Every structure is written in C-alpha cells, then in structure tokens.
C-alpha cells in the first residue's frame, strides 16, 4: 500500500513537472545525443528491465519445451523491442517541430500531463 501511494504521488509530481515545463526555444540549437549516450541510457533504463522481466515472468519456458522455445521467445522480444523503439523514434521526429512552437508546446505538455494523470485512474479504482 505504501509503495502504491508513493508511486501515485511521484506520478502526480511528474505530471506537474510536465505541465509546467517550458517549451523548447526555436533558437536553441539541436543537441543530438551521441551513440554512447544512447547506449548507456538503454543499458541503465530501469523501465526496460521491468518491462522485459514482466514479459519473461509471464511466459516462462518449461525445461521440456527446450532451447527452441527459449530462442523463439528471445526473437519475438527482440522484434517487439525494435518495433517499439522505431515507433518512438518516428513519433519523436514527428512531434519535434510541434514542440518548437511555444503555444503548441504548452498544449502538448498539458495533454501529456493529463494522459499521465489518466493513467492513475486504475490505481484509484483498485
């Protein structure tokens, strides 16, 4: 129960930070992250470990199923990871221009904050 409350409060905090975040100035130069920076972020991403762990726990492979089933699971998970990362990359590239306009960026920040708050509804209903 305490972890749920702390997690919910943290989500509220994040929603507030998103809603009040300043828009990216159009004059600012775009700083592209390095490959090494992206690689380190991918390795250190706790959300990825939680998501992958939940997938594997939900589909444990019996010893009788053998190596073939385990390899199949890894291949499917790799495909899903590549598809999701590619989708996020495309979404980020598509929305970048919108986020450079201060008015549109403010609206986007409010929408993202509201979506984060909406994700708390199941927590409140349980």
């Amino acid at each position: 129960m305490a972890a749920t409350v702390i997690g919910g409060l943290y989500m509220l905090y994040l929603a507030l930070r998103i809603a009040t975040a300043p828009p990216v100035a159009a004059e600012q130069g775009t700083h592209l992250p390095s490959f090494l920076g992206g690689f380190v972020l991918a390795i250190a991403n706790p959300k990825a470990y939680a998501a992958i762990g939940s997938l594997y726990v939900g589909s444990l492979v019996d010893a009788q199923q053998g190596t073939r089933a385990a390899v199949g699971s890894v291949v499917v998970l790799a495909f899903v990871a590549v598809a999701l990362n590619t989708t996020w990359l495309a979404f980020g590239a598509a929305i970048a221009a919108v986020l450079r306009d201060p008015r549109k960026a403010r609206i986007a920040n409010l929408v993202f904050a509201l979506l984060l708050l909406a994700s708390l509804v199941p927590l409140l209903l349980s």
Side-chain angles (χ1 to χ4, degrees), residues 78-122:
F79 176 76
V80 169
V82 169
L84 286 174
N85 287 329
T86 303
T87 301
W88 274 116
L89 177 66
F91 176 73
I95 199 169
V98 171
L99 296 179
R100 297 232 181 261
D101 179 316
R103 184 174 176 277
K104 290 177 182 176
R106 174 63 52 218
I107 293 168
N109 284 354
L110 292 173
V111 167
F112 292 147
L114 288 172
L115 288 171
L116 182 57
L117 290 175
S119 74
L120 294 175
V121 170

Side-chain angles (χ1 to χ4, degrees), residues 3-17 116 120:
T4 302
V5 171
I6 291 169
L9 290 173
Y10 182 65
M11 296 293 269
L12 289 172
Y13 167 75
L14 288 178
L16 178 65
R17 292 292 308 258
L116 182 57
L120 294 175

